[in-house]
Amino acid sequence: MTETNQRSAGAAGVTLSRRAALAAAGGAVLAGLAPGREVRAQARARDQLIFALSSYPPSLRAWANAGTAASTVKLQNLRGLLTFDERGGLRAELAESHRRINPTTWEFTLRDGVKFHDGEKADAGAVKHSFEAMTAERSPAYLRSSLAPLIDKIETPNARTVVFRLREPSATFSQLIACFHAAVISPKSTEANPVGCGPYRITDVERGTRIDFEAYDGYYKPGMPRSKKMRMIAYADENLRVAALEAGDVDIIEYVPWQSMEAIERNQNLKLDSTDGPFMYLVYNVQRGPFTNVKLRQATAYAANRQDIVRAAFFGRGSALEGIPVPASSPYFNRDLSTHWRRDLDKAKRLLAEAGMPNGFEATLLSTAQYGMHKDTAEVVQQSLAQAGIKVTLNLPDWATRVTLGNRGQFDFAVMGSSGLFNDPDALQEFVAGLPQASYNRSFGYRNAKIDELVAKGRAELDEGRRKAIYRELEQIALEDATCVGLAWRSQGYAMQKSVTGFANLPGFLTFHSGATLEAAARG
């Protein structure tokens, strides 16, 4: 499909029905048809990989945060200077090498001769153009608040060299650059149609249902991608997503439901790849409504029954999160603060009284029914807060609506599930800091100058011992302000046919970057 036709398909969709698209991909299980696995395998092209998304992406804009499914899709046609490898280390992408020249200067050497899908050169000028657009004053880019204050100047001494001069040292600059929110795109891209240099190009789209890809023959890694075609199908119903995998209709699924993990592990035709790192938490509207009062936020934190969340939402495949989400494996983990919000109904009731609400109050909790873990978590929160006298009404729209409401601040408080962008405490800033851009994954309207100061100080400090002291102080303030209230750590899984090789679930916070390994995935 030409670039013009691709844009047309992305804007208007195609005329295939949802059922026809699913059947074409082997999704006959949804139509009540169940041909044998051998018949389906023969009907499908040998070089096509089929990936089941948990939702259809609400946006594919290059630098926006629209959830894991959107990021998985974007990683196929968009790439940045770096990404992460299977062990969590940095991996070369458009940049074949990089180095820190001094505490405030980074140099990236680009691969030679790389072109975007539209034929434009992926050179130093394109990199400079992308980062300047990302960090522009009115840019909606998710990483703008992290990168704009940090980058002082971008220099391009030649077509293959990009030099970033920073305003201050940064312990995590290269990890920020490796995030999927930092894609480098063609200068001829439009906001709605970003053009990248990733392993695949989009060939056809049916909005709400599927996205088709073909291998980009100009990809810069020899022999990649291993599968010449790929189809991503949205199975919003998690049980149908598992059924499609079990029937052999899809090769890989994301967001394996926790109630299905044991059965998948027992299935001789399938394999489960799971990691701990993502977490569930509560965020609040601190601009209007009941939770402008910090004591009411603290009351909900102490009233939440985290053990019940682990049991009900994750079938025991997780653990209670009673503080700020710093993994126990991290050198920055502080055991003394890790149980700060251990359940205490008496304390919750005292806080209600101190807030002038001794008989409790009413609030609406935003979540989504599209993901069982979000819905189940919200229901447990509702039940456990009732025991403290807090009457909670649930609002459970589809995922796209939940994102929109969160970004607009149209909620009292909300259940959220996420993970840090990388395995460093600096990644926690997007959850605990009062960043200027509103985002559905953090509290709305929250600002704290001291936290902002500590975030910047921790990022600029290169000594681990001094960084630990900085993050301990930040953690204490975040606990007191209760705008990111931890609920549960959860196991995050991908499941696939036993014959699939090459795909890997990245460790810890990086699990949502796992889509980068689809370039190496293929059916045996």
PDB file of all heavy atoms in Angstrom, residues 182-201:
ATOM      1  N   ALA A 182       9.971   8.417  22.613  1.00  0.00           N
ATOM      2  CA  ALA A 182      10.990   9.292  22.031  1.00  0.00           C
ATOM      3  C   ALA A 182      11.340   8.853  20.613  1.00  0.00           C
ATOM      4  O   ALA A 182      12.503   8.864  20.216  1.00  0.00           O
ATOM      5  CB  ALA A 182      12.239   9.316  22.913  1.00  0.00           C
ATOM      6  N   ALA A 183      10.346   8.491  19.830  1.00  0.00           N
ATOM      7  CA  ALA A 183      10.581   8.029  18.461  1.00  0.00           C
ATOM      8  C   ALA A 183      11.112   9.160  17.585  1.00  0.00           C
ATOM      9  O   ALA A 183      10.754  10.327  17.756  1.00  0.00           O
ATOM     10  CB  ALA A 183       9.288   7.474  17.868  1.00  0.00           C
ATOM     11  N   VAL A 184      11.955   8.789  16.636  1.00  0.00           N
ATOM     12  CA  VAL A 184      12.436   9.728  15.624  1.00  0.00           C
ATOM     13  C   VAL A 184      11.588   9.518  14.370  1.00  0.00           C
ATOM     14  O   VAL A 184      11.467   8.389  13.879  1.00  0.00           O
ATOM     15  CB  VAL A 184      13.927   9.489  15.311  1.00  0.00           C
ATOM     16  CG1 VAL A 184      14.385  10.399  14.168  1.00  0.00           C
ATOM     17  CG2 VAL A 184      14.769   9.741  16.558  1.00  0.00           C
ATOM     18  N   ILE A 185      10.987  10.579  13.864  1.00  0.00           N
ATOM     19  CA  ILE A 185      10.084  10.448  12.719  1.00  0.00           C
ATOM     20  C   ILE A 185      10.525  11.345  11.569  1.00  0.00           C
ATOM     21  O   ILE A 185      11.293  12.296  11.755  1.00  0.00           O
ATOM     22  CB  ILE A 185       8.629  10.776  13.113  1.00  0.00           C
ATOM     23  CG1 ILE A 185       8.489  12.223  13.571  1.00  0.00           C
ATOM     24  CG2 ILE A 185       8.156   9.822  14.202  1.00  0.00           C
ATOM     25  CD1 ILE A 185       7.047  12.648  13.859  1.00  0.00           C
ATOM     26  N   SER A 186      10.031  11.027  10.382  1.00  0.00           N
ATOM     27  CA  SER A 186      10.353  11.806   9.192  1.00  0.00           C
ATOM     28  C   SER A 186       9.867  13.242   9.349  1.00  0.00           C
ATOM     29  O   SER A 186       8.761  13.484   9.833  1.00  0.00           O
ATOM     30  CB  SER A 186       9.686  11.177   7.969  1.00  0.00           C
ATOM     31  OG  SER A 186       9.748  12.060   6.851  1.00  0.00           O
ATOM     32  N   PRO A 187      10.683  14.218   8.919  1.00  0.00           N
ATOM     33  CA  PRO A 187      10.242  15.620   8.982  1.00  0.00           C
ATOM     34  C   PRO A 187       8.980  15.886   8.161  1.00  0.00           C
ATOM     35  O   PRO A 187       8.299  16.889   8.381  1.00  0.00           O
ATOM     36  CB  PRO A 187      11.442  16.384   8.414  1.00  0.00           C
ATOM     37  CG  PRO A 187      12.618  15.489   8.665  1.00  0.00           C
ATOM     38  CD  PRO A 187      12.089  14.094   8.492  1.00  0.00           C
ATOM     39  N   LYS A 188       8.647  14.983   7.233  1.00  0.00           N
ATOM     40  CA  LYS A 188       7.446  15.153   6.428  1.00  0.00           C
ATOM     41  C   LYS A 188       6.215  14.505   7.057  1.00  0.00           C
ATOM     42  O   LYS A 188       5.141  14.498   6.461  1.00  0.00           O
ATOM     43  CB  LYS A 188       7.675  14.596   5.019  1.00  0.00           C
ATOM     44  CG  LYS A 188       8.676  15.408   4.207  1.00  0.00           C
ATOM     45  CD  LYS A 188       8.734  14.948   2.758  1.00  0.00           C
ATOM     46  CE  LYS A 188       9.658  15.845   1.942  1.00  0.00           C
ATOM     47  NZ  LYS A 188       9.711  15.407   0.518  1.00  0.00           N
ATOM     48  N   SER A 189       6.362  13.968   8.253  1.00  0.00           N
ATOM     49  CA  SER A 189       5.229  13.371   8.961  1.00  0.00           C
ATOM     50  C   SER A 189       4.198  14.439   9.306  1.00  0.00           C
ATOM     51  O   SER A 189       4.516  15.625   9.428  1.00  0.00           O
ATOM     52  CB  SER A 189       5.688  12.717  10.265  1.00  0.00           C
ATOM     53  OG  SER A 189       6.573  11.650  10.025  1.00  0.00           O
ATOM     54  N   THR A 190       2.956  13.990   9.468  1.00  0.00           N
ATOM     55  CA  THR A 190       1.931  14.838  10.063  1.00  0.00           C
ATOM     56  C   THR A 190       1.667  14.318  11.462  1.00  0.00           C
ATOM     57  O   THR A 190       2.051  13.187  11.798  1.00  0.00           O
ATOM     58  CB  THR A 190       0.633  14.809   9.248  1.00  0.00           C
ATOM     59  OG1 THR A 190       0.091  13.476   9.285  1.00  0.00           O
ATOM     60  CG2 THR A 190       0.881  15.232   7.811  1.00  0.00           C
ATOM     61  N   GLU A 191       0.990  15.102  12.287  1.00  0.00           N
ATOM     62  CA  GLU A 191       0.724  14.678  13.658  1.00  0.00           C
ATOM     63  C   GLU A 191      -0.072  13.379  13.697  1.00  0.00           C
ATOM     64  O   GLU A 191       0.199  12.484  14.495  1.00  0.00           O
ATOM     65  CB  GLU A 191      -0.037  15.766  14.421  1.00  0.00           C
ATOM     66  CG  GLU A 191      -0.275  15.423  15.878  1.00  0.00           C
ATOM     67  CD  GLU A 191      -1.058  16.481  16.623  1.00  0.00           C
ATOM     68  OE1 GLU A 191      -1.423  17.490  15.990  1.00  0.00           O
ATOM     69  OE2 GLU A 191      -1.303  16.296  17.822  1.00  0.00           O
ATOM     70  N   ALA A 192      -1.057  13.258  12.796  1.00  0.00           N
ATOM     71  CA  ALA A 192      -1.918  12.075  12.803  1.00  0.00           C
ATOM     72  C   ALA A 192      -1.275  10.884  12.102  1.00  0.00           C
ATOM     73  O   ALA A 192      -1.687   9.744  12.313  1.00  0.00           O
ATOM     74  CB  ALA A 192      -3.251  12.400  12.144  1.00  0.00           C
ATOM     75  N   ASN A 193      -0.265  11.132  11.265  1.00  0.00           N
ATOM     76  CA  ASN A 193       0.358  10.057  10.496  1.00  0.00           C
ATOM     77  C   ASN A 193       1.879  10.125  10.588  1.00  0.00           C
ATOM     78  O   ASN A 193       2.556  10.546   9.651  1.00  0.00           O
ATOM     79  CB  ASN A 193      -0.077  10.137   9.019  1.00  0.00           C
ATOM     80  CG  ASN A 193      -1.544   9.838   8.837  1.00  0.00           C
ATOM     81  OD1 ASN A 193      -1.974   8.706   8.900  1.00  0.00           O
ATOM     82  ND2 ASN A 193      -2.318  10.901   8.627  1.00  0.00           N
ATOM     83  N   PRO A 194       2.435   9.751  11.723  1.00  0.00           N
ATOM     84  CA  PRO A 194       3.895   9.758  11.860  1.00  0.00           C
ATOM     85  C   PRO A 194       4.535   8.678  10.999  1.00  0.00           C
ATOM     86  O   PRO A 194       4.017   7.568  10.898  1.00  0.00           O
ATOM     87  CB  PRO A 194       4.106   9.485  13.349  1.00  0.00           C
ATOM     88  CG  PRO A 194       2.892   8.722  13.759  1.00  0.00           C
ATOM     89  CD  PRO A 194       1.767   9.265  12.941  1.00  0.00           C
ATOM     90  N   VAL A 195       5.645   8.998  10.368  1.00  0.00           N
ATOM     91  CA  VAL A 195       6.349   8.051   9.504  1.00  0.00           C
ATOM     92  C   VAL A 195       7.694   7.744  10.139  1.00  0.00           C
ATOM     93  O   VAL A 195       8.496   8.655  10.396  1.00  0.00           O
ATOM     94  CB  VAL A 195       6.550   8.619   8.085  1.00  0.00           C
ATOM     95  CG1 VAL A 195       7.306   7.621   7.210  1.00  0.00           C
ATOM     96  CG2 VAL A 195       5.207   8.969   7.459  1.00  0.00           C
ATOM     97  N   GLY A 196       7.944   6.473  10.400  1.00  0.00           N
ATOM     98  CA  GLY A 196       9.178   6.093  11.074  1.00  0.00           C
ATOM     99  C   GLY A 196      10.088   5.259  10.209  1.00  0.00           C
ATOM    100  O   GLY A 196       9.929   5.165   8.981  1.00  0.00           O
ATOM    101  N   CYS A 197      11.056   4.595  10.867  1.00  0.00           N
ATOM    102  CA  CYS A 197      12.011   3.747  10.163  1.00  0.00           C
ATOM    103  C   CYS A 197      12.072   2.372  10.831  1.00  0.00           C
ATOM    104  O   CYS A 197      13.100   1.695  10.784  1.00  0.00           O
ATOM    105  CB  CYS A 197      13.389   4.394  10.137  1.00  0.00           C
ATOM    106  SG  CYS A 197      14.054   4.811  11.776  1.00  0.00           S
ATOM    107  N   GLY A 198      10.960   1.958  11.456  1.00  0.00           N
ATOM    108  CA  GLY A 198      10.919   0.692  12.168  1.00  0.00           C
ATOM    109  C   GLY A 198      10.866  -0.512  11.253  1.00  0.00           C
ATOM    110  O   GLY A 198      10.871  -0.390  10.022  1.00  0.00           O
ATOM    111  N   PRO A 199      10.799  -1.715  11.825  1.00  0.00           N
ATOM    112  CA  PRO A 199      10.881  -2.949  11.037  1.00  0.00           C
ATOM    113  C   PRO A 199       9.673  -3.204  10.144  1.00  0.00           C
ATOM    114  O   PRO A 199       9.767  -3.947   9.166  1.00  0.00           O
ATOM    115  CB  PRO A 199      11.006  -4.046  12.097  1.00  0.00           C
ATOM    116  CG  PRO A 199      10.424  -3.445  13.344  1.00  0.00           C
ATOM    117  CD  PRO A 199      10.752  -1.996  13.273  1.00  0.00           C
ATOM    118  N   TYR A 200       8.538  -2.601  10.469  1.00  0.00           N
ATOM    119  CA  TYR A 200       7.317  -2.823   9.692  1.00  0.00           C
ATOM    120  C   TYR A 200       6.710  -1.496   9.257  1.00  0.00           C
ATOM    121  O   TYR A 200       6.903  -0.461   9.897  1.00  0.00           O
ATOM    122  CB  TYR A 200       6.271  -3.576  10.527  1.00  0.00           C
ATOM    123  CG  TYR A 200       6.589  -5.025  10.779  1.00  0.00           C
ATOM    124  CD1 TYR A 200       7.183  -5.427  11.974  1.00  0.00           C
ATOM    125  CD2 TYR A 200       6.286  -6.006   9.831  1.00  0.00           C
ATOM    126  CE1 TYR A 200       7.464  -6.769  12.221  1.00  0.00           C
ATOM    127  CE2 TYR A 200       6.567  -7.345  10.067  1.00  0.00           C
ATOM    128  CZ  TYR A 200       7.153  -7.720  11.263  1.00  0.00           C
ATOM    129  OH  TYR A 200       7.431  -9.044  11.499  1.00  0.00           O
ATOM    130  N   ARG A 201       5.934  -1.567   8.182  1.00  0.00           N
ATOM    131  CA  ARG A 201       5.129  -0.436   7.765  1.00  0.00           C
ATOM    132  C   ARG A 201       3.673  -0.865   7.759  1.00  0.00           C
ATOM    133  O   ARG A 201       3.355  -2.018   7.446  1.00  0.00           O
ATOM    134  CB  ARG A 201       5.559   0.086   6.393  1.00  0.00           C
ATOM    135  CG  ARG A 201       5.537  -0.917   5.288  1.00  0.00           C
ATOM    136  CD  ARG A 201       6.292  -0.436   4.048  1.00  0.00           C
ATOM    137  NE  ARG A 201       5.844   0.869   3.623  1.00  0.00           N
ATOM    138  CZ  ARG A 201       6.522   1.643   2.760  1.00  0.00           C
ATOM    139  NH1 ARG A 201       7.690   1.235   2.290  1.00  0.00           N
ATOM    140  NH2 ARG A 201       6.047   2.811   2.392  1.00  0.00           N
TER     141      ARG A 201
END
